[in-house]
Amino acid sequence: MQTFIVVLALIGFAAIGYTMGRARAVMTAGGVPKDLHSLPSYYGSYTALWIGLPSLILLAVWMIVQPQIIDGLVMGGLPSDMTAGLSDSQFGLLLNDIRNVATGNISSRGDDPAVAAAATQLSSLRHTGFILMVVAVFGVGAGGLAFARNRISPTLRARNTVEKVINVILIISSLIAILTTVGIVLSLLFESFVFFTKVPFYEFLFGLNWSPQTALRADQVGSSGAFGAIPLFVGTLLITFIAMVVAAPIGLMSAIYMAEYADPRFRAFAKPMLEVLAGIPTVVYGFFAALTVAPFFRGAGESIGLDVSSESALAAGVVMGIMIIPFVSSLSDDVINAVPQSLRDGSYGLGATKSETIRSVVVPAALPGIVGALLLAISRAIGETMIVVMAAGLAANLTINPLEAVTTVTVQIVTLLVGDQEFDSAKTLSAFALGLVLFFITLALNVIALGVVRKYREKYD
Amino acid sequence: MTDTTSSPQGESAGPARRPLTISPHLAKRYARERLFRTLGLASVATAGLILLVLVGSIVSKGYSAFWLHHVDLTIEFSVDELNPDGGPIEMETLQKANYLGLVRDALKREFPDAASDRRERRKLYGLVSPNADIMLRNMVLNDPSLVGTTQTVSFKMSDDMDTFAKGFIDRDLPESDRRVTDAEIKWHDHFEAEGRVHVAFNIDFFTKGDSREPEEAGIYGALIGSILTLTVTLLVSFPVGVMAAVYLEEFAPKNRFTDLIEVNINNLAAVPSIVFGLLGLAVFLNFFGLPRSAPLAGGLVLALMTLPTIIIASRSALKAVPPSIREAALGLGASPLQVVTHHVLPLAMPGILTGTIIGMAQALGETAPLLMIGMVAFIVDVPQGFTDPATVLPVQVYIWADSPERAFVEKTSAAIMVLLGFLVLMNAIAVLLRKRFERRW
Amino acid sequence: MTNTSVTTPDVDVAAKPPSVEQLANRYTKIESRDVNVYYGEKHALKHVDLDVYQNEVTALIGPSGCGKSTFLRCLNRMNDVIDICRVTGRIALDEHDIYDPSLDVVQLRARVGMVFQKPNPFPKSIYDNISYGPRIHGLAHGKAELDEIVQKSLERAGLWKEVSDRLDQPGTGLSGGQQQRLCIARAIAVNPEVILMDEPCSALDPIATARIEELIDELRENFTIVIVTHSMQQAARVSQRTAFFHLGDLVEVGETEAIFTNPEDSRTQGYITGRFG
């Protein structure tokens, strides 16, 4: 909160700098703004940038560096018998306790005098650090102001400088997308690497047994845990398959009907309807699957003497299919509309009916695009989380019977990471290995699908 | 198709007029045509039907959550009970007094015969919400003159009784098959017969945070959590997204690197949301040390997720601005940046805003990545700031959907209705914006 | 058509030829030497040497794709906008190289204004259209001065009477010819020295065209004008000097009268007599 106020104050400072820079520029031009290279407002922005940028950068660096220095000082000040022989996680716990005491929370070690002393030291260091930071940051801001004021003259190309800075900011913005991807890949790779030092790679990819519960104590029964992900892959594929069985025909036929048969009035009503279906949050579908569809299938199964699990793959798969229908239909609608009218006319000219034209001319012509759309839909089904978390099971059964409960990659990621996380146990880390597999499979599907769709577009553009 | 009516080569009869014969195939072909068409219509209809069933099942389950049954009890604010030690009545004694006793006394007076059996007594005490004592305490603290008087006070029924009163529990079932006992039904009927049961709008649902007790649980905490989270998302993703789009569309040279950025953005848009959750956990929480369960971390994760949506929408909006506008401004000596900020961006803004609202609507409905960064915790307090522990509407739906109490089903559905309401509102604004400002060049 | 006839009867050279005195006092406003333009691999403009004289209208003519518009866009560096475009050679405005890296292209464009083929008013009010340039260049002090510039510019573009009562209406609501005059007024408002016109009448009907042509002739007194046109009649009517481009080459340049009555190059002759183009 304090930092937030400092940031606001800096912005205020920069705003004052803006008016000062403006006034200064007009003054140096002898009150004739026309003689300036740029409009006076650019000189204002120039000054504001010189105040704001260096000080905000300093602030950010300070915020990152200060806690580490302070932690080092505090932990270094502790009696050596307290820190000797502590593992990294124990060390972290101790530090956490000290922080808690410092912020006034009750802690298990709150009555330890060494901890209390360290907490007092921590608070006072933080206080000093904050004051130093405010002084430094505003000092840099004032320096920027003085520098900019000095530089301002009618020949200074303020606009060009300001625009260059803005251009750099624009470039940085567009790099954030790249940084996100890099961040995803690096964090997944890093944690997965740690996981694979504990569990062999081949055992993870080809093992048939998944039970990630590692014991808390080494002497407990079944302490090893099994990390064979094949049951998860099979479960994911089973549910995805069911989803596509539902979504592909309905989505495709809807798209064909909308593109080829429906009159504008029907389209105006049906398209938004499909968009609504697409806009419903997945958690709602999950609730629907768990509370309406699953009991329905269970009841229906019972009435014909089938034993359907209450967390059957069928229920999760069907609802996931429903979720994907609008996705398939809107993508296919686009590709079907891109088929040139001349192809249809050719077919009609030979005396073909509409459905014959669609089946033998339009669909084959649009096939690459449709395949791309279906691949994207599969990628989406594989990565979908909430429906399966709420409607599919947790037990990793290796089966392809849709009436039984199966679990999926995403379900396991959620279960492994909700609740206590220990980044030194294989249990928590296995979630990242699963995430890595998920990321690369969906990435591959997307790259192929987008490539196919793009090729298709180029063909008819 | 090959099975056309007749082959043109076959007849070389010269100028003689050929009759338009009707091939026997034709009827079959038209039947297939009709079938195909019907299948298409049936597909669209199926989608519509599913939507109806989905919305219908949620509304039918959830509408009742907006009302709660209350029961009037006669409470004696007896001095003995509130101040058993005697002496002057201070605020402090009132603060600590045994209000639960007052409620229990009132119930015991109502049904003296039920008080004998321990199990039955507990059931009896459970008729009203467990928070009844807190309500009484607040009443007395607000108005200490109540002490010594006898008042009729309206209490929320507990969740099972409320569910029964709403008629969702069949009283004809055998006792072992339903959640309320015969005695409870008897008590309910007693109050009902005296006209002391009444229905009131469940205002707490909109003004309170989560609770273990369904009748006390509200969505206000989750709503504020959603607003805080989306604020962070909007503040990060909108400026960054628009600036990235402006750079890529207006300034970037066409080279391998910008191609890479473009491919990357398209792929990012299709990365499963849960992977963003893993990123948030590994980077924002573990590396940068942001607080767990906080709107700040959640908002940042959602911002990265919505960024591709906003960039793609903004780029197409920028692309739709005709180049002649850019030329005109350039020709007058506007700098490229002035061209963008004075002309192109304002003209593209409706499209950009539409895309942003749609991105925000997606973010509002997103659940999975937030589970990864701990926004799934049970949080009673309404979050006050960006670093407080919080949850959001869809996660609240997820938490409640997992709760075993029957009454939480109704709460979940009601929360979904609120969530869908917001989504409809946002999309309506987007559609309106598009309609109102759509410009054809 | 036969190729014996040198003059074309349907072209009437109406623009006043410069007098001897004027010819002697000619001042070279823009001087271009060995200008080459490449679009990627394509050599779009080859070794062009062309001078533009002050207070004259110079017309650039030639068949489509001959490089006349490309050359025009070099004169205020509008080609900079195109990534793959590369310009070599020297173009000087008042003897200052406009491709000098230290020169600010924005200031260049304030001195060399441009009117485009299709009228392209901003989707803003008429007033805002005109006042935009003066605003970004800081030419006006306060509202009164800006009002004055707007009125003067509209008057000089012959549009004031038609729009003075609806300055707050969008510029896009005007007729095509009015829009183009609005664009000219907009260019004038910045008070440039040179105005480049890229087929300014190609999207207009004959009456609006005549109106613009009159306007060009009036503007010549205060500005130097370079106009690209596909209509030889128009070149003949409005210009004092004419340059003929063909396949990226500057084939011939000279007094308009001379070019149309007595072209030196057979390609010019072929073009103006309508054999190709």
Side-chain angles (χ1 to χ4, degrees):
Chain A
M1 206 55 214
Q2 278 178 321
T3 326
F4 187 62
I5 293 170
V6 174
V7 171
L8 279 188
L10 277 179
I11 293 172
F13 189 17
I16 296 169
Y18 175 86
T19 50
M20 286 172 76
R22 242 182 96 113
R24 170 87 183 166
V26 175
M27 204 193 78
T28 55
V32 190
K34 255 183 253 186
D35 293 349
L36 289 168
H37 169 274
S38 315
L39 289 181
S41 59
Y42 282 103
Y43 292 89
S45 309
Y46 176 82
T47 318
L49 282 176
W50 265 109
I51 296 172
L53 271 189
S55 57
L56 284 174
I57 291 171
L58 177 69
L59 181 70
V61 173
W62 195 293
M63 298 290 298
I64 294 169
V65 173
Q66 177 183 312
Q68 294 181 0
I69 292 177
I70 289 184
D71 287 351
L73 283 176
V74 169
M75 295 311 273
L78 282 174
S80 55
D81 55 318
M82 226 174 146
T83 48
L86 287 181
S87 75
D88 271 4
S89 59
Q90 285 169 314
F91 197 81
L93 275 178
L94 179 61
L95 186 60
N96 221 17
D97 276 333
I98 294 172
R99 281 194 195 135
N100 276 338
V101 175
T103 41
N105 290 342
I106 305 141
S107 147
S108 54
R109 269 182 276 210
D111 40 359
D112 188 329
V115 170
T120 325
Q121 195 197 359
L122 180 67
S123 313
S124 84
L125 278 177
R126 274 186 184 164
H127 188 69
T128 325
F130 180 74
I131 291 178
L132 276 178
M133 179 184 81
V134 171
V135 171
V137 158
F138 278 89
V140 167
L145 172 63
F147 178 78
R149 246 182 84 87
N150 250 333
R151 291 281 310 271
I152 287 176
S153 71
T155 52
L156 174 73
R157 294 184 166 196
R159 181 176 50 71
N160 308 47
T161 313
V162 170
E163 290 189 344
K164 250 181 222 148
V165 172
I166 292 177
N167 201 30
V168 170
I169 294 175
L170 292 181
I171 293 175
I172 291 173
S173 299
S174 61
L175 286 183
I176 285 183
I178 293 252
L179 282 180
T180 309
T181 311
V182 171
I184 288 175
V185 172
L186 283 187
S187 58
L188 291 180
L189 275 181
F190 178 73
E191 307 286 1
S192 304
F193 183 75
V194 181
F195 172 71
F196 289 127
T197 60
K198 293 171 191 280
V199 175
F201 185 68
Y202 61 88
E203 191 187 315
F204 172 74
L205 271 192
F206 304 109
L208 298 180
N209 195 3
W210 177 268
S211 89
Q213 297 307 323
T214 40
L216 293 173
R217 296 189 316 275
D219 54 336
Q220 218 168 325
V221 187
S223 59
S224 58
F227 292 95
I230 287 288
L232 312 189
F233 298 152
V234 172
T236 307
L237 289 181
L238 176 63
I239 290 183
T240 304
F241 176 75
I242 299 170
M244 292 314 291
V245 166
V246 173
I250 298 184
L252 211 55
M253 283 308 288
S254 303
I256 289 172
Y257 186 81
M258 303 268 276
E260 301 285 327
Y261 287 106
D263 60 72
R265 263 188 311 165
F266 184 84
R267 273 182 80 96
F269 157 79
K271 240 186 138 72
M273 183 201 78
L274 285 170
E275 274 168 23
V276 169
L277 212 52
I280 289 176
T282 53
V283 69
V284 177
Y285 280 112
F287 181 69
F288 181 62
L291 254 92
T292 308
V293 179
F296 171 76
F297 280 141
R298 196 177 154 74
E302 257 168 27
S303 66
I304 55 167
L306 277 174
D307 185 22
V308 182
S309 160
S310 60
E311 291 175 330
S312 64
L314 188 63
V318 165
V319 173
M320 194 185 277
I322 293 171
M323 185 202 86
I324 291 174
I325 289 173
F327 194 71
V328 173
S329 82
S330 80
L331 283 174
S332 314
D333 197 356
D334 287 351
V335 294
I336 290 171
N337 276 325
V339 173
Q341 185 61 32
S342 58
L343 285 183
R344 294 186 185 85
D345 292 347
S347 172
Y348 292 142
L350 290 173
T353 65
K354 203 157 190 171
S355 67
E356 285 160 357
T357 304
I358 293 166
R359 273 179 295 165
S360 51
V361 175
V362 177
V363 171
L367 200 60
I370 292 174
V371 169
L374 292 180
L375 284 179
L376 280 178
I378 291 174
S379 141
R380 209 163 151 152
I382 290 176
E384 171 46 40
T385 309
M386 289 321 290
I387 294 177
V388 279
V389 165
M390 294 170 82
L394 290 178
N397 298 326
L398 185 54
T399 175
I400 51 163
N401 179 355
L403 305 181
E404 278 184 48
V406 294
T407 192
T408 71
V409 173
T410 49
V411 172
Q412 289 304 317
I413 295 177
V414 169
T415 0
L416 291 168
L417 290 182
V418 169
D420 291 336
Q421 299 159 355
E422 302 157 55
F423 276 82
D424 47 4
S425 89
K427 185 186 160 203
T428 298
L429 291 172
S430 65
F432 285 88
L434 289 175
L436 188 69
V437 173
L438 184 67
F439 178 72
F440 277 111
I441 289 179
T442 51
L443 183 71
L445 281 171
N446 294 337
V447 169
I448 296 169
L450 290 175
V452 169
V453 172
R454 190 192 294 171
K455 269 238 173 76
Y456 169 75
R457 287 264 156 76
E458 278 163 7
K459 193 167 132 199
Y460 290 123
D461 263 353
Chain B
M1 295 304 290
T2 45
D3 53 344
T4 38
T5 44
S6 56
S7 73
Q9 299 100 316
E11 315 201 9
S12 48
R17 263 203 181 179
R18 200 155 49 118
L20 262 174
T21 49
I22 297 200
S23 145
H25 290 303
L26 201 55
K28 220 173 170 183
R29 288 175 60 204
Y30 275 125
R32 294 229 305 261
E33 168 75 27
R34 274 192 301 274
L35 177 69
F36 190 78
R37 199 190 157 114
T38 315
L39 272 178
L41 186 59
S43 296
V44 182
T46 311
L49 194 70
I50 290 168
L51 182 63
L52 274 184
V53 170
L54 177 69
V55 173
S57 84
I58 282 162
V59 171
S60 68
K61 283 198 185 93
Y63 76 96
S64 53
F66 298 112
W67 291 273
L68 269 187
H69 282 77
H70 291 240
V71 58
D72 291 338
L73 292 181
T74 315
I75 297 288
E76 287 177 19
F77 293 95
S78 80
V79 182
D80 295 345
E81 187 88 48
L82 291 175
N83 195 10
D85 305 337
I89 294 179
E90 303 284 343
M91 259 338 206
E92 194 156 331
T93 44
L94 289 181
Q95 193 97 41
K96 289 179 179 164
N98 177 16
Y99 293 98
L100 204 54
L102 297 186
V103 183
R104 292 180 171 177
D105 288 347
L107 285 165
K108 262 189 279 184
R109 273 196 309 278
E110 209 75 51
F111 306 105
D113 50 329
S116 51
D117 179 59
R118 256 194 75 189
R119 273 191 55 203
E120 193 156 325
R121 200 161 61 215
R122 197 171 315 142
K123 282 277 180 208
L124 179 64
Y125 295 158
L127 270 185
V128 295
S129 163
N131 282 11
D133 55 332
I134 297 168
M135 188 187 126
L136 279 186
R137 186 179 68 196
N138 291 343
M139 267 177 80
V140 173
L141 289 179
N142 273 341
D143 183 7
S145 69
L146 284 174
V147 177
T149 62
T150 300
Q151 304 280 339
T152 301
V153 182
S154 182
F155 291 96
K156 276 184 204 165
M157 281 185 174
S158 67
D159 55 328
D160 282 340
M161 289 308 293
D162 179 54
T163 312
F164 175 75
K166 282 171 178 163
F168 295 135
I169 296 176
D170 187 356
R171 64 167 70 214
D172 298 331
L173 282 173
E175 187 174 13
S176 57
D177 283 4
R178 48 176 146 80
R179 281 193 66 93
V180 292
T181 61
D182 289 341
E184 283 176 307
I185 293 180
K186 197 182 76 198
W187 299 327
H188 171 265
D189 292 347
H190 164 79
F191 286 124
E192 181 79 64
E194 292 188 2
R196 286 159 69 185
V197 176
H198 50 93
V199 179
F201 181 66
N202 185 3
I203 185 112
D204 286 350
F205 184 68
F206 293 99
T207 55
K208 283 196 170 166
D210 198 2
S211 167
R212 295 273 184 229
E213 307 300 332
E215 69 275 11
E216 296 291 337
I219 54 163
Y220 186 63
L223 196 63
I224 296 297
S226 272
I227 290 172
L228 290 173
T229 307
L230 283 194
T231 308
V232 175
T233 305
L234 184 67
L235 286 181
V236 174
S237 65
F238 180 70
V240 173
V242 172
M243 287 195 294
V246 164
Y247 178 71
L248 292 174
E249 203 55 50
E250 303 286 330
F251 297 111
K254 219 50 210 118
N255 58 27
R256 281 237 186 93
F257 185 64
T258 46
D259 275 353
L260 178 73
I261 296 181
E262 186 153 359
V263 170
N264 180 47
I265 287 171
N266 285 334
N267 277 315
L268 216 50
V271 168
S273 63
I274 192 168
V275 172
F276 284 94
L278 291 172
L279 169 77
L281 176 59
V283 173
F284 293 142
L285 263 49
N286 287 355
F287 188 74
F288 285 115
L290 294 186
R292 267 178 81 80
S293 313
L296 180 61
L300 286 177
V301 169
L302 294 182
L304 293 185
M305 245 189 67
T306 32
L307 205 53
T309 311
I310 294 182
I311 294 179
I312 292 169
S314 302
R315 287 190 68 175
S316 66
L318 290 171
K319 218 176 265 172
V321 176
S324 66
I325 300 285
R326 293 181 183 84
E327 283 194 328
L330 279 177
L332 286 174
S335 69
L337 193 69
Q338 285 172 328
V339 173
V340 171
T341 51
H342 296 167
H343 300 284
V344 181
L345 212 47
L347 291 172
M349 208 32 101
I352 293 176
L353 288 180
T354 310
T356 306
I357 293 174
I358 288 170
M360 286 295 122
Q362 280 171 6
L364 176 61
E366 197 52 69
T367 322
L370 301 181
L371 301 183
M372 305 284 94
I373 53 166
M375 292 190 88
V376 69
F378 172 71
I379 292 150
V380 177
D381 295 328
V382 175
Q384 303 294 317
F386 294 109
T387 50
D388 286 356
T391 190
V392 295
L393 274 178
V395 178
Q396 187 72 70
V397 168
Y398 170 67
I399 295 173
W400 283 350
D402 249 13
S403 306
E405 285 91 345
R406 167 69 177 78
F408 268 127
V409 171
E410 138 188 316
K411 297 278 166 190
T412 313
S413 304
I416 289 176
M417 285 162 73
V418 173
L419 178 60
L420 290 183
F422 275 102
L423 290 177
V424 167
L425 184 73
M426 288 168 88
N427 282 296
I429 293 173
V431 169
L432 217 68
L433 210 61
R434 193 158 36 186
K435 284 247 163 73
R436 173 81 179 71
F437 292 103
E438 194 172 53
R439 198 188 274 273
R440 295 236 170 262
W441 300 98
Chain C
M1 187 165 289
T2 58
N3 56 357
T4 48
S5 122
V6 173
T7 50
T8 42
D10 52 335
V11 171
D12 108 85
V13 180
K16 232 188 297 159
S19 64
V20 180
E21 185 189 354
Q22 274 170 325
L23 283 174
N25 292 333
R26 263 179 171 172
Y27 169 71
T28 310
K29 189 72 188 169
I30 297 175
E31 181 189 62
S32 70
R33 291 292 174 270
D34 195 25
V35 173
N36 289 282
V37 177
Y38 304 86
Y39 288 117
E41 294 295 300
K42 197 184 158 218
H43 198 173
L45 208 58
K46 299 162 194 164
H47 312 288
V48 173
D49 301 325
L50 180 66
D51 289 346
V52 173
Y53 300 124
Q54 195 163 31
N55 295 8
E56 281 188 10
V57 178
T58 305
L60 312 181
I61 62 170
S64 317
C66 65
K68 54 191 192 302
S69 282
T70 302
F71 180 73
L72 189 78
R73 289 169 154 261
C74 289
L75 300 181
N76 68 345
R77 292 180 54 179
M78 281 299 276
N79 284 330
D80 289 14
V81 185
I82 304 162
D83 279 335
I84 54 162
C85 181
R86 201 159 49 84
V87 180
T88 66
R90 178 185 144 88
I91 300 177
L93 174 69
D94 288 345
E95 285 162 22
H96 294 293
D97 186 355
I98 64 169
Y99 281 88
D100 182 345
S102 69
L103 177 127
D104 194 339
V105 65
V106 160
Q107 288 186 325
L108 169 71
R109 290 186 192 141
R111 293 174 62 189
V112 183
M114 186 149 188
V115 176
F116 298 84
Q117 189 167 0
K118 240 181 87 195
N120 54 358
F122 300 127
K124 298 181 172 188
S125 72
I126 293 171
Y127 185 92
D128 286 344
N129 261 286
I130 309 289
S131 64
Y132 178 70
R135 271 199 195 124
I136 57 169
H137 294 297
L139 298 181
H141 242 47
K143 176 96 172 92
E145 235 175 277
L146 204 55
D147 287 349
E148 198 191 313
I149 293 180
V150 170
Q151 178 171 355
K152 242 176 87 190
S153 309
L154 283 169
E155 278 170 355
R156 285 165 86 173
L159 197 58
W160 176 249
K161 279 190 198 127
E162 292 158 61
V163 301
S164 61
D165 54 341
R166 47 174 172 148
L167 291 177
D168 54 344
Q169 305 274 310
T172 41
L174 298 173
S175 74
Q178 285 175 322
Q179 282 190 17
Q180 194 60 300
R181 275 182 284 149
L182 177 66
C183 291
I184 293 173
R186 186 175 66 185
I188 295 171
V190 186
N191 205 14
E193 295 153 40
V194 182
I195 301 176
L196 309 177
M197 298 186 174
D198 191 356
E199 303 195 19
C201 304
S202 64
L204 304 180
D205 62 69
I207 294 170
T209 301
R211 192 85 183 70
I212 301 270
E213 285 178 5
E214 268 170 47
L215 178 59
I216 291 171
D217 202 49
E218 288 164 20
L219 291 175
R220 181 161 73 90
E221 278 188 32
N222 298 299
F223 305 97
T224 306
I225 293 170
V226 185
I227 178 170
V228 163
T229 174
H230 62 268
S231 145
M232 284 168 290
Q233 292 90 329
Q234 185 169 62
R237 284 194 296 265
V238 301
S239 71
Q240 282 71 48
R241 271 162 57 85
T242 297
F244 173 66
F245 286 77
H246 182 58
L247 295 175
D249 290 310
L250 173 59
V251 174
E252 192 172 353
V253 58
E255 302 306 314
T256 299
E257 207 174 29
I259 289 276
F260 279 98
T261 53
N262 192 14
E264 286 169 12
D265 195 286
S266 62
R267 287 172 290 178
T268 318
Q269 189 182 353
Y271 181 68
I272 58 175
T273 53
R275 270 194 298 123
F276 68 89

